[in-house]
Amino acid sequence: MTNNDIFKKLRVALKLRDDDIVKILELVDFRISKSELGAFFRKEDHPKYVECGDQILRNFLNGLIIHLRGPMPKKEKK
């Protein structure tokens, strides 16, 4: 299973649109355009298909945690 497959399955399971994914990635200061994002969701034989790298998937997953749980509370120094 490729990163693209994982990304597609999460997108469908969580009912996310491109706008939602862009906002989730912005939560971790990762900027991406809708057209760049759309290339990940194309079929592998499409001429504009782009393979999703580990960095993009990792940033999406980290942003998704913040999106679903909220930001991590700051720890108090003792």
Side-chain angles (χ1 to χ4, degrees):
M1 184 176 270
T2 66
N3 286 347
N4 294 62
D5 294 333
I6 294 167
F7 210 174
K8 286 179 197 175
K9 289 183 184 295
L10 286 170
R11 178 184 185 204
V12 171
L14 298 171
K15 299 177 185 169
L16 298 172
R17 296 181 320 157
D18 288 347
D19 294 333
D20 301 327
I21 295 172
V22 169
K23 288 177 185 173
I24 288 170
L25 285 166
E26 286 177 355
L27 292 173
V28 289
D29 296 326
F30 191 89
R31 307 279 185 258
I32 193 168
S33 69
K34 285 186 199 179
S35 59
E36 289 174 305
L37 191 59
F40 299 133
F41 302 121
R42 299 184 188 280
K43 291 188 177 192
E44 289 184 31
D45 59 348
H46 192 280
K48 301 218 181 210
Y49 170 83
V50 175
E51 195 169 312
C52 180
D54 293 339
Q55 180 184 14
I56 293 169
L57 186 59
R58 180 179 65 244
N59 280 305
F60 173 70
L61 292 173
N62 287 333
L64 190 60
I65 291 169
I66 294 169
H67 176 73
L68 295 175
R69 290 189 195 167
M72 192 170 177
K74 296 191 179 203
K75 295 181 181 179
E76 293 182 23
K77 294 182 180 179
K78 292 183 179 182

